[in-house]
Amino acid sequence: MGRMSRENGSAGLPEYAERVLEVAELIPPGRVMTYGDVAEWLGAGGPRQVGRVMALYGGAVPWWRVVRADGALLPGHEQRALGHYRDEGTPLRAAGSSAARRLPRIDMARARWDGGAGDGADEGAHI
């Protein structure tokens, strides 16, 4: 996941990418934000821009906490993500019976984080 690790020097990252990655690091274990939530939090870009940043640079942050709005697991990374969700106690919905739905989905109603205080994250202002 992601081509650049933050340890390799984030100085070369575009400013927007750095801001997106900082938000991803704020999301508490067991909670998620959608790509659109992150863009709204930043007041810039949109879900596609956030998704692009996560695809290119997200490998060194908790990428599994930035998700699709429908709660589907990230294609190509389902098993890795599922392991993280189970380790962190992220609320999941049971898998369906169809071939396309053999994996659980994130229970967005319970797992979605609004960036508020009191659930494990700093109370700092938006980035």
Side-chain angles (χ1 to χ4, degrees):
M1 179 88 224
R3 295 182 204 160
M4 178 181 287
S5 75
R6 295 187 80 187
E7 291 79 29
N8 289 342
S10 60
L13 288 178
E15 182 209 351
Y16 185 75
E18 185 65 31
R19 292 174 64 209
V20 167
L21 298 178
E22 288 172 357
V23 173
E25 290 179 326
L26 291 174
I27 303 169
R31 304 300 298 274
V32 298
M33 289 180 93
T34 68
Y35 298 110
D37 292 340
V38 173
E40 185 178 334
W41 171 280
L42 293 173
R48 289 178 188 252
Q49 289 84 2
V50 171
R52 180 79 174 148
V53 167
M54 294 304 295
L56 291 175
Y57 308 112
V61 299
W63 53 267
W64 58 92
R65 297 181 192 155
V66 182
V67 301
R68 292 174 33 165
D70 66 0
L73 305 186
L74 182 63
H77 301 278
E78 297 94 345
Q79 294 303 319
R80 286 179 53 210
L82 190 55
H84 288 294
Y85 298 138
R86 288 181 172 151
D87 288 346
E88 294 182 357
T90 305
L92 299 171
R93 291 191 343 229
S97 58
S98 72
R101 288 276 332 254
R102 294 226 170 126
L103 291 169
R105 288 182 180 235
I106 298 164
D107 183 340
M108 295 302 292
R110 294 178 29 218
R112 198 171 201 166
W113 185 60
D114 66 2
D119 51 6
D122 291 334
E123 293 185 34
H126 290 115
I127 296 172

